[in-house]
Amino acid sequence: ECTTLWSIWPIRAPDFVQEAGLDINAKGTVNVENKVTNTIPNVPGAHIIGDACRVPFGQAGLPKAGEFAWKMGVSVADAISGKTNPADRKGNCAAEAGFGKGF
């Protein structure tokens, strides 16, 4: 028995992204073209971050957690401002075990 149940599922791009005519993958997110700048394939000058995208990182992609979205935002801001810093993709996601399985 529990008094509170909290869930966020599914993690996917919001409706306005899904309806924008972008190439949406089977998980409902947009694959990024460049994992440092999070550019959207075939959309010059456009970037996507957070739960709306899939960043190639190992077999499962970068986990969906706020600390990764924050770092994506920093990388995108650097790219827009002309800086060429390597992307920081280090972090922990306690609920993400990879391959669609949690703990």
Side-chain angles (χ1 to χ4, degrees), residues 28-66:
T29 60
V30 177
N31 292 323
V32 300
E33 183 173 51
N34 181 308
K35 67 182 179 180
V36 175
T37 61
N38 282 51
T39 48
I40 300 173
N42 305 312
V43 186
H47 307 265
I48 191 164
I49 65 170
D51 291 347
C53 70
R54 181 185 184 281
V55 177
F57 190 81
Q59 194 171 1
L62 203 60
K64 305 292 186 193

mmCIF file of all heavy atoms in Angstrom, residues 28-66:
data_model
loop_
_atom_site.group_PDB
_atom_site.id
_atom_site.type_symbol
_atom_site.label_atom_id
_atom_site.label_comp_id
_atom_site.label_asym_id
_atom_site.label_seq_id
_atom_site.Cartn_x
_atom_site.Cartn_y
_atom_site.Cartn_z
ATOM 1 N N GLY A 28 9.807 8.455 -29.586
ATOM 2 C CA GLY A 28 9.077 9.716 -29.526
ATOM 3 C C GLY A 28 9.953 10.930 -29.292
ATOM 4 O O GLY A 28 9.479 11.965 -28.844
ATOM 5 N N THR A 29 11.242 10.793 -29.594
ATOM 6 C CA THR A 29 12.173 11.911 -29.431
ATOM 7 C C THR A 29 12.879 12.182 -30.759
ATOM 8 O O THR A 29 12.774 11.411 -31.705
ATOM 9 C CB THR A 29 13.211 11.622 -28.333
ATOM 10 O OG1 THR A 29 13.965 10.454 -28.695
ATOM 11 C CG2 THR A 29 12.557 11.407 -26.984
ATOM 12 N N VAL A 30 13.627 13.273 -30.807
ATOM 13 C CA VAL A 30 14.378 13.654 -31.999
ATOM 14 C C VAL A 30 15.838 13.256 -31.795
ATOM 15 O O VAL A 30 16.446 13.631 -30.787
ATOM 16 C CB VAL A 30 14.280 15.176 -32.239
ATOM 17 C CG1 VAL A 30 15.133 15.588 -33.435
ATOM 18 C CG2 VAL A 30 12.834 15.599 -32.432
ATOM 19 N N ASN A 31 16.403 12.493 -32.739
ATOM 20 C CA ASN A 31 17.831 12.174 -32.672
ATOM 21 C C ASN A 31 18.618 13.427 -33.016
ATOM 22 O O ASN A 31 18.296 14.113 -33.986
ATOM 23 C CB ASN A 31 18.192 11.075 -33.669
ATOM 24 C CG ASN A 31 17.599 9.740 -33.313
ATOM 25 O OD1 ASN A 31 17.515 9.375 -32.148
ATOM 26 N ND2 ASN A 31 17.161 8.997 -34.311
ATOM 27 N N VAL A 32 19.627 13.738 -32.225
ATOM 28 C CA VAL A 32 20.455 14.908 -32.534
ATOM 29 C C VAL A 32 21.500 14.530 -33.568
ATOM 30 O O VAL A 32 21.919 13.382 -33.662
ATOM 31 C CB VAL A 32 21.120 15.523 -31.278
ATOM 32 C CG1 VAL A 32 20.092 15.970 -30.271
ATOM 33 C CG2 VAL A 32 22.127 14.597 -30.656
ATOM 34 N N GLU A 33 21.893 15.534 -34.339
ATOM 35 C CA GLU A 33 22.885 15.324 -35.389
ATOM 36 C C GLU A 33 24.295 15.393 -34.821
ATOM 37 O O GLU A 33 25.186 14.682 -35.250
ATOM 38 C CB GLU A 33 22.685 16.402 -36.447
ATOM 39 C CG GLU A 33 23.567 16.302 -37.649
ATOM 40 C CD GLU A 33 23.152 17.308 -38.694
ATOM 41 O OE1 GLU A 33 23.006 18.497 -38.368
ATOM 42 O OE2 GLU A 33 22.958 16.885 -39.839
ATOM 43 N N ASN A 34 24.493 16.265 -33.850
ATOM 44 C CA ASN A 34 25.808 16.489 -33.268
ATOM 45 C C ASN A 34 25.651 16.468 -31.750
ATOM 46 O O ASN A 34 24.941 17.298 -31.192
ATOM 47 C CB ASN A 34 26.353 17.844 -33.744
ATOM 48 C CG ASN A 34 27.725 18.146 -33.199
ATOM 49 O OD1 ASN A 34 27.964 18.083 -31.993
ATOM 50 N ND2 ASN A 34 28.645 18.501 -34.078
ATOM 51 N N LYS A 35 26.316 15.526 -31.093
ATOM 52 C CA LYS A 35 26.108 15.381 -29.646
ATOM 53 C C LYS A 35 26.772 16.459 -28.807
ATOM 54 O O LYS A 35 26.567 16.512 -27.602
ATOM 55 C CB LYS A 35 26.528 13.993 -29.174
ATOM 56 C CG LYS A 35 28.004 13.698 -29.270
ATOM 57 C CD LYS A 35 28.266 12.271 -28.821
ATOM 58 C CE LYS A 35 29.726 11.912 -28.908
ATOM 59 N NZ LYS A 35 29.951 10.556 -28.476
ATOM 60 N N VAL A 36 27.534 17.350 -29.413
ATOM 61 C CA VAL A 36 28.104 18.476 -28.676
ATOM 62 C C VAL A 36 27.178 19.682 -28.765
ATOM 63 O O VAL A 36 26.913 20.355 -27.778
ATOM 64 C CB VAL A 36 29.517 18.832 -29.188
ATOM 65 C CG1 VAL A 36 30.061 20.072 -28.499
ATOM 66 C CG2 VAL A 36 30.465 17.655 -28.983
ATOM 67 N N THR A 37 26.642 19.943 -29.963
ATOM 68 C CA THR A 37 25.808 21.133 -30.165
ATOM 69 C C THR A 37 24.315 20.830 -30.183
ATOM 70 O O THR A 37 23.508 21.742 -30.250
ATOM 71 C CB THR A 37 26.183 21.820 -31.486
ATOM 72 O OG1 THR A 37 25.961 20.908 -32.569
ATOM 73 C CG2 THR A 37 27.636 22.270 -31.478
ATOM 74 N N ASN A 38 23.929 19.556 -30.136
ATOM 75 C CA ASN A 38 22.526 19.133 -30.133
ATOM 76 C C ASN A 38 21.733 19.709 -31.311
ATOM 77 O O ASN A 38 20.590 20.119 -31.167
ATOM 78 C CB ASN A 38 21.840 19.494 -28.814
ATOM 79 C CG ASN A 38 22.210 18.540 -27.710
ATOM 80 O OD1 ASN A 38 23.384 18.285 -27.473
ATOM 81 N ND2 ASN A 38 21.225 18.002 -27.032
ATOM 82 N N THR A 39 22.364 19.733 -32.478
ATOM 83 C CA THR A 39 21.662 20.237 -33.654
ATOM 84 C C THR A 39 20.652 19.209 -34.156
ATOM 85 O O THR A 39 20.814 18.001 -33.990
ATOM 86 C CB THR A 39 22.644 20.582 -34.779
ATOM 87 O OG1 THR A 39 23.554 19.492 -34.965
ATOM 88 C CG2 THR A 39 23.435 21.840 -34.461
ATOM 89 N N ILE A 40 19.596 19.727 -34.786
ATOM 90 C CA ILE A 40 18.540 18.884 -35.343
ATOM 91 C C ILE A 40 18.882 18.602 -36.804
ATOM 92 O O ILE A 40 19.137 19.537 -37.569
ATOM 93 C CB ILE A 40 17.172 19.580 -35.240
ATOM 94 C CG1 ILE A 40 16.837 19.877 -33.774
ATOM 95 C CG2 ILE A 40 16.082 18.742 -35.889
ATOM 96 C CD1 ILE A 40 15.596 20.719 -33.582
ATOM 97 N N PRO A 41 18.890 17.329 -37.211
ATOM 98 C CA PRO A 41 19.213 17.011 -38.606
ATOM 99 C C PRO A 41 18.279 17.729 -39.578
ATOM 100 O O PRO A 41 17.070 17.812 -39.365
ATOM 101 C CB PRO A 41 19.008 15.496 -38.688
ATOM 102 C CG PRO A 41 19.131 15.009 -37.283
ATOM 103 C CD PRO A 41 18.615 16.133 -36.420
ATOM 104 N N ASN A 42 18.860 18.264 -40.648
ATOM 105 C CA ASN A 42 18.122 18.914 -41.740
ATOM 106 C C ASN A 42 17.368 20.171 -41.340
ATOM 107 O O ASN A 42 16.457 20.601 -42.042
ATOM 108 C CB ASN A 42 17.169 17.922 -42.420
ATOM 109 C CG ASN A 42 17.884 16.681 -42.898
ATOM 110 O OD1 ASN A 42 18.935 16.772 -43.538
ATOM 111 N ND2 ASN A 42 17.352 15.527 -42.576
ATOM 112 N N VAL A 43 17.704 20.755 -40.190
ATOM 113 C CA VAL A 43 17.097 22.019 -39.760
ATOM 114 C C VAL A 43 18.244 22.945 -39.339
ATOM 115 O O VAL A 43 18.621 22.989 -38.172
ATOM 116 C CB VAL A 43 16.101 21.824 -38.598
ATOM 117 C CG1 VAL A 43 15.392 23.132 -38.276
ATOM 118 C CG2 VAL A 43 15.085 20.723 -38.901
ATOM 119 N N PRO A 44 18.806 23.689 -40.306
ATOM 120 C CA PRO A 44 19.970 24.531 -40.003
ATOM 121 C C PRO A 44 19.710 25.527 -38.876
ATOM 122 O O PRO A 44 18.661 26.167 -38.816
ATOM 123 C CB PRO A 44 20.215 25.279 -41.327
ATOM 124 C CG PRO A 44 19.561 24.431 -42.384
ATOM 125 C CD PRO A 44 18.385 23.780 -41.701
ATOM 126 N N GLY A 45 20.673 25.605 -37.952
ATOM 127 C CA GLY A 45 20.597 26.566 -36.860
ATOM 128 C C GLY A 45 19.633 26.202 -35.747
ATOM 129 O O GLY A 45 19.409 26.997 -34.843
ATOM 130 N N ALA A 46 19.069 25.001 -35.765
ATOM 131 C CA ALA A 46 18.120 24.591 -34.725
ATOM 132 C C ALA A 46 18.773 23.570 -33.796
ATOM 133 O O ALA A 46 19.518 22.697 -34.235
ATOM 134 C CB ALA A 46 16.865 24.000 -35.349
ATOM 135 N N HIS A 47 18.489 23.703 -32.511
ATOM 136 C CA HIS A 47 19.044 22.819 -31.484
ATOM 137 C C HIS A 47 17.888 22.278 -30.648
ATOM 138 O O HIS A 47 16.837 22.908 -30.539
ATOM 139 C CB HIS A 47 19.992 23.597 -30.570
ATOM 140 C CG HIS A 47 21.049 24.343 -31.305
ATOM 141 N ND1 HIS A 47 22.303 23.839 -31.526
ATOM 142 C CD2 HIS A 47 21.044 25.570 -31.871
ATOM 143 C CE1 HIS A 47 23.017 24.723 -32.193
ATOM 144 N NE2 HIS A 47 22.273 25.786 -32.414
ATOM 145 N N ILE A 48 18.105 21.132 -30.010
ATOM 146 C CA ILE A 48 17.084 20.536 -29.152
ATOM 147 C C ILE A 48 17.767 19.939 -27.927
ATOM 148 O O ILE A 48 18.857 19.374 -28.030
ATOM 149 C CB ILE A 48 16.245 19.500 -29.931
ATOM 150 C CG1 ILE A 48 15.024 19.063 -29.147
ATOM 151 C CG2 ILE A 48 17.102 18.319 -30.375
ATOM 152 C CD1 ILE A 48 13.974 18.366 -29.995
ATOM 153 N N ILE A 49 17.146 20.103 -26.749
ATOM 154 C CA ILE A 49 17.760 19.599 -25.520
ATOM 155 C C ILE A 49 16.728 18.871 -24.659
ATOM 156 O O ILE A 49 15.526 18.966 -24.891
ATOM 157 C CB ILE A 49 18.416 20.728 -24.693
ATOM 158 C CG1 ILE A 49 17.370 21.716 -24.180
ATOM 159 C CG2 ILE A 49 19.500 21.431 -25.486
ATOM 160 C CD1 ILE A 49 17.913 22.713 -23.166
ATOM 161 N N GLY A 50 17.226 18.178 -23.657
ATOM 162 C CA GLY A 50 16.369 17.562 -22.648
ATOM 163 C C GLY A 50 15.626 16.332 -23.123
ATOM 164 O O GLY A 50 16.089 15.605 -24.001
ATOM 165 N N ASP A 51 14.448 16.124 -22.542
ATOM 166 C CA ASP A 51 13.666 14.926 -22.832
ATOM 167 C C ASP A 51 13.182 14.855 -24.268
ATOM 168 O O ASP A 51 12.774 13.797 -24.733
ATOM 169 C CB ASP A 51 12.455 14.849 -21.898
ATOM 170 C CG ASP A 51 12.841 14.583 -20.451
ATOM 171 O OD1 ASP A 51 14.011 14.225 -20.205
ATOM 172 O OD2 ASP A 51 11.976 14.727 -19.576
ATOM 173 N N ALA A 52 13.222 15.959 -24.984
ATOM 174 C CA ALA A 52 12.736 15.989 -26.362
ATOM 175 C C ALA A 52 13.703 15.340 -27.341
ATOM 176 O O ALA A 52 13.348 15.079 -28.479
ATOM 177 C CB ALA A 52 12.456 17.423 -26.790
ATOM 178 N N CYS A 53 14.937 15.048 -26.891
ATOM 179 C CA CYS A 53 15.926 14.534 -27.841
ATOM 180 C C CYS A 53 16.592 13.256 -27.354
ATOM 181 O O CYS A 53 16.517 12.888 -26.191
ATOM 182 C CB CYS A 53 16.981 15.597 -28.119
ATOM 183 S SG CYS A 53 18.085 15.948 -26.740
ATOM 184 N N ARG A 54 17.243 12.594 -28.312
ATOM 185 C CA ARG A 54 18.092 11.435 -28.002
ATOM 186 C C ARG A 54 19.505 11.791 -28.436
ATOM 187 O O ARG A 54 19.760 12.070 -29.603
ATOM 188 C CB ARG A 54 17.648 10.186 -28.737
ATOM 189 C CG ARG A 54 18.539 8.994 -28.377
ATOM 190 C CD ARG A 54 18.230 7.742 -29.173
ATOM 191 N NE ARG A 54 19.047 6.636 -28.709
ATOM 192 C CZ ARG A 54 20.316 6.434 -29.031
ATOM 193 N NH1 ARG A 54 20.948 7.268 -29.803
ATOM 194 N NH2 ARG A 54 20.980 5.390 -28.569
ATOM 195 N N VAL A 55 20.417 11.797 -27.484
ATOM 196 C CA VAL A 55 21.826 12.083 -27.748
ATOM 197 C C VAL A 55 22.576 10.761 -27.775
ATOM 198 O O VAL A 55 22.517 10.001 -26.808
ATOM 199 C CB VAL A 55 22.419 13.007 -26.656
ATOM 200 C CG1 VAL A 55 23.897 13.242 -26.896
ATOM 201 C CG2 VAL A 55 21.657 14.318 -26.606
ATOM 202 N N PRO A 56 23.267 10.451 -28.892
ATOM 203 C CA PRO A 56 24.029 9.204 -28.935
ATOM 204 C C PRO A 56 25.079 9.166 -27.828
ATOM 205 O O PRO A 56 25.884 10.074 -27.717
ATOM 206 C CB PRO A 56 24.699 9.229 -30.311
ATOM 207 C CG PRO A 56 24.167 10.398 -31.039
ATOM 208 C CD PRO A 56 23.450 11.267 -30.080
ATOM 209 N N PHE A 57 25.010 8.171 -26.996
ATOM 210 C CA PHE A 57 25.958 8.014 -25.897
ATOM 211 C C PHE A 57 25.871 6.555 -25.484
ATOM 212 O O PHE A 57 24.950 6.163 -24.782
ATOM 213 C CB PHE A 57 25.585 8.938 -24.736
ATOM 214 C CG PHE A 57 26.647 9.026 -23.663
ATOM 215 C CD1 PHE A 57 27.751 9.849 -23.822
ATOM 216 C CD2 PHE A 57 26.527 8.290 -22.508
ATOM 217 C CE1 PHE A 57 28.721 9.940 -22.842
ATOM 218 C CE2 PHE A 57 27.489 8.359 -21.515
ATOM 219 C CZ PHE A 57 28.587 9.187 -21.687
ATOM 220 N N GLY A 58 26.793 5.752 -25.966
ATOM 221 C CA GLY A 58 26.705 4.324 -25.712
ATOM 222 C C GLY A 58 25.523 3.728 -26.470
ATOM 223 O O GLY A 58 24.995 4.326 -27.403
ATOM 224 N N GLN A 59 25.067 2.598 -26.045
ATOM 225 C CA GLN A 59 23.985 1.908 -26.747
ATOM 226 C C GLN A 59 22.611 2.482 -26.430
ATOM 227 O O GLN A 59 21.727 2.496 -27.276
ATOM 228 C CB GLN A 59 24.031 0.421 -26.386
ATOM 229 C CG GLN A 59 23.187 -0.434 -27.293
ATOM 230 C CD GLN A 59 23.424 -1.913 -27.036
ATOM 231 O OE1 GLN A 59 24.206 -2.304 -26.175
ATOM 232 N NE2 GLN A 59 22.746 -2.740 -27.793
ATOM 233 N N ALA A 60 22.417 2.986 -25.228
ATOM 234 C CA ALA A 60 21.086 3.433 -24.816
ATOM 235 C C ALA A 60 20.850 4.933 -25.020
ATOM 236 O O ALA A 60 19.728 5.382 -24.920
ATOM 237 C CB ALA A 60 20.856 3.083 -23.350
ATOM 238 N N GLY A 61 21.877 5.702 -25.300
ATOM 239 C CA GLY A 61 21.722 7.150 -25.379
ATOM 240 C C GLY A 61 21.875 7.775 -24.003
ATOM 241 O O GLY A 61 21.893 7.092 -22.981
ATOM 242 N N LEU A 62 21.985 9.087 -23.996
ATOM 243 C CA LEU A 62 22.150 9.815 -22.736
ATOM 244 C C LEU A 62 20.891 9.675 -21.883
ATOM 245 O O LEU A 62 19.784 9.817 -22.392
ATOM 246 C CB LEU A 62 22.412 11.288 -23.044
ATOM 247 C CG LEU A 62 23.119 12.112 -22.000
ATOM 248 C CD1 LEU A 62 24.500 11.568 -21.687
ATOM 249 C CD2 LEU A 62 23.241 13.543 -22.481
ATOM 250 N N PRO A 63 21.013 9.386 -20.593
ATOM 251 C CA PRO A 63 19.832 9.245 -19.735
ATOM 252 C C PRO A 63 18.990 10.515 -19.688
ATOM 253 O O PRO A 63 19.474 11.610 -19.957
ATOM 254 C CB PRO A 63 20.417 8.949 -18.356
ATOM 255 C CG PRO A 63 21.778 8.423 -18.608
ATOM 256 C CD PRO A 63 22.250 9.129 -19.852
ATOM 257 N N LYS A 64 17.727 10.365 -19.355
ATOM 258 C CA LYS A 64 16.799 11.488 -19.229
ATOM 259 C C LYS A 64 16.790 11.943 -17.772
ATOM 260 O O LYS A 64 16.147 11.343 -16.925
ATOM 261 C CB LYS A 64 15.387 11.081 -19.649
ATOM 262 C CG LYS A 64 15.294 10.489 -21.038
ATOM 263 C CD LYS A 64 15.586 11.529 -22.079
ATOM 264 C CE LYS A 64 15.355 10.970 -23.465
ATOM 265 N NZ LYS A 64 15.885 11.810 -24.494
ATOM 266 N N ALA A 65 17.552 12.971 -17.495
ATOM 267 C CA ALA A 65 17.613 13.533 -16.149
ATOM 268 C C ALA A 65 17.958 15.012 -16.268
ATOM 269 O O ALA A 65 18.640 15.426 -17.209
ATOM 270 C CB ALA A 65 18.660 12.807 -15.296
ATOM 271 N N GLY A 66 17.506 15.791 -15.310
ATOM 272 C CA GLY A 66 17.693 17.227 -15.344
ATOM 273 C C GLY A 66 19.135 17.670 -15.472
ATOM 274 O O GLY A 66 19.430 18.633 -16.173
#
